Amino acid sequence: DFEGVRVVDRHTKQLLYNIEGLLSQAHHLKVYGDLLLLGMWDGYIQIHDIPSGGQCSRLVGHNYRVNCLDMSGNIVASASSDKTVKLWNYPTSGLLGTLRGHSKMVNVVQIASHQQSVLSASKDGTIRLWKPHLGYSTAPRILTTNSPINTMQYDGEHKIISGGDDKLIRIWDIRLNDADANVISLEGHTGPVNTIHFDEYRILSGGSDKTIHLWDYR
């Protein structure tokens, strides 16, 4: 059995990159340009250069599993089961700072670079909008639900869509105050919502109920 990571060109089906002999299991991966980012079960982050086939960086700082990674420019953001979000400089591998405040594992992180923001979603039922350029101890804006959040996506402007253990898909408008920001809640899944993707008009969602739903939310 193969134990590692393979990168395949989706058009030609050609194997581009093969990683074997990982010291820990890869829990999350993200491709950013020619870079492959791996979030590991032991809390480490590995960054590999796909064309050369070599590891070019290793980020050390999380105490538990890395659940999500994002990258914008030379900034890497990581979300972990240690309840923190960390920002790193690539390629120096230096830790820029740690965002603390979640009370349970952080499942999702997303960088909105043009707004100088970082968004995170957690099992504690909150979405947090951070402004690291104002200081890593600056209090974030917090959007609250009564259920763990498993997945989240931000459109980079004013719309956030999230899914969680309450089986709902929530659409948020961050132009509104916190009490009114959850403008729509879509019901249909009979189990936790684990993954979402959306464009201008449609939402694709997958849940523990073994179904995939396609929504038109115009």
Side-chain angles (χ1 to χ4, degrees):
D1 294 338
F2 175 75
E3 295 184 0
V5 176
R6 288 173 173 157
V7 180
V8 178
D9 187 302
R10 64 178 179 177
H11 300 294
T12 66
K13 307 300 189 294
Q14 179 185 359
L15 180 65
L16 299 177
Y17 190 30
N18 192 29
I19 309 173
E20 297 185 69
L22 295 174
L23 298 179
S24 174
Q25 290 181 322
H27 178 66
H28 175 84
L29 61 84
K30 182 179 181 66
V31 174
Y32 182 79
D34 286 333
L35 298 177
L36 172 65
L37 287 70
L38 299 177
M40 314 302 287
W41 275 85
D42 58 10
Y44 294 111
I45 299 162
Q46 295 182 13
I47 302 178
H48 296 255
D49 180 70
I50 296 173
S52 69
Q55 180 176 323
C56 47
S57 189
R58 188 167 184 257
L59 310 179
V60 181
H62 284 297
N63 298 321
Y64 297 101
R65 183 182 67 196
V66 176
N67 298 319
C68 187
L69 295 163
D70 197 17
M71 188 169 184
S72 178
N74 65 341
I75 303 298
V76 175
S78 56
S80 171
S81 292
D82 65 9
K83 308 175 189 177
T84 69
V85 172
K86 293 183 182 292
L87 299 184
W88 313 80
N89 178 270
Y90 173 82
T92 68
S93 302
L95 177 64
L96 299 175
T98 301
L99 300 171
R100 306 179 189 275
H102 284 294
S103 60
K104 294 183 178 180
M105 68 165 58
V106 188
N107 286 326
V108 189
V109 66
Q110 185 174 341
I111 300 173
S113 56
H114 68 290
Q115 294 189 356
Q116 296 182 300
S117 300
V118 175
L119 287 80
S120 59
S122 167
K123 282 287 188 184
D124 65 11
T126 68
I127 297 170
R128 299 182 182 233
L129 292 81
W130 312 83
K131 297 287 188 180
H133 67 287
L134 299 178
Y136 285 86
S137 60
T138 302
R141 181 180 179 183
I142 302 175
L143 304 175
T144 303
T145 72
N146 295 319
S147 181
I149 299 173
N150 302 322
T151 181
M152 176 202 70
Q153 186 181 341
Y154 176 49
D155 71 352
E157 298 296 335
H158 57 81
K159 185 185 302 173
I160 299 172
I161 298 182
S162 65
D165 283 3
D166 58 6
K167 311 171 190 176
L168 298 176
I169 297 167
R170 298 176 182 267
I171 302 176
W172 307 82
D173 187 335
I174 60 175
R175 296 172 298 184
L176 305 177
N177 61 54
D178 293 354
D180 299 324
N182 184 187
V183 291
I184 300 175
S185 294
L186 301 175
E187 300 181 21
H189 282 287
T190 58
V193 179
N194 298 321
T195 185
I196 56 170
H197 183 78
F198 72 89
D199 59 20
E200 187 176 359
Y201 303 116
R202 297 164 298 180
I203 302 170
L204 192 65
S205 61
S208 296
D209 57 8
K210 302 179 183 179
T211 67
I212 297 172
H213 291 192
L214 181 62
W215 314 78
D216 186 326
Y217 64 98
R218 284 176 288 187

